Amino acid sequence: MSTYTFTGTDSYSVSDVKAVMQNTYEDIIGFANRQIVEYGNAEKWIDDLTYALNKKAVKSFEIQLYNSLGVRFKSYRYDVCTSGLVTSGDKSGGINYFDFPTTTKVGLFAQLDKDSSNYAAVLKELTENRGWGTNGSAMNGTTTRERNYVSNSLQLSRSVITK
């Protein structure tokens, strides 16, 4: 009979957030390079996500793509995991930005962690000082896991969701 033990941690550092957000930065800036989102908005999203991740108040976030009629057709979801189970991460990339029509619009949705001790403060900061709304929703559809961005015990697992 074998016994296995796993020791994980729920903690991660500012430098871990910086490391995984570098990959996410490259993903988001790719949409700006394709002129699907303005550079200023892309930079703001990165800053806001970095802030909320540093406060340990994010469960997941999505870069959501909309067609010319305003209907979501694809989403890139980043799930936050702190179990420490993945030891190596992937490089950013793998998104073919030229697959999207020039009329594509993009939005950002984040699901905050209501169990986080910083939940209320982060929600207040995002809505009152950073212009976020509270009427977004996660996209449902076929989910395909693509990449993992990892630094120590912090992992952002990127999936693509299509209708």
Side-chain angles (χ1 to χ4, degrees), residues 19-141:
V20 297
M21 283 304 293
Q22 179 59 42
N23 294 103
T24 307
Y25 172 90
E26 292 171 14
D27 291 351
I28 293 172
I29 288 300
F31 288 102
N33 289 339
R34 178 64 166 88
Q35 299 178 339
I36 294 174
V37 64
E38 293 180 12
Y39 281 102
N41 287 339
E43 293 283 350
K44 181 185 175 312
W45 289 355
I46 293 160
D47 183 57
D48 291 351
L49 290 168
T50 300
Y51 160 76
L53 282 166
N54 278 326
K55 295 292 187 180
K56 297 174 177 58
V58 180
K59 278 188 162 183
S60 67
F61 59 92
E62 294 181 25
I63 302 166
Q64 299 178 337
L65 303 174
Y66 296 81
N67 66 20
S68 61
L69 300 174
V71 177
R72 284 186 295 197
F73 65 91
K74 186 176 263 191
S75 176
Y76 291 90
R77 179 179 293 160
Y78 298 77
D79 290 303
V80 177
C81 179
T82 59
S83 66
L85 293 175
V86 176
T87 58
S88 64
D90 301 310
K91 293 181 180 180
S92 59
I95 300 173
N96 185 350
Y97 302 97
F98 292 96
D99 273 352
F100 310 124
T102 57
T103 57
T104 301
K105 301 295 180 203
V106 66
L108 179 66
F109 166 78
Q111 180 182 5
L112 297 181
D113 183 355
K114 292 182 179 181
D115 294 328
S116 168
S117 61
N118 294 320
Y119 170 76
V122 169
L123 180 62
K124 182 177 180 176
E125 172 66 20
L126 291 175
T127 57
E128 293 182 13
N129 299 326
R130 296 183 183 229
W132 283 55
T134 57
N135 61 342
S137 64
M139 185 169 161
N140 294 314

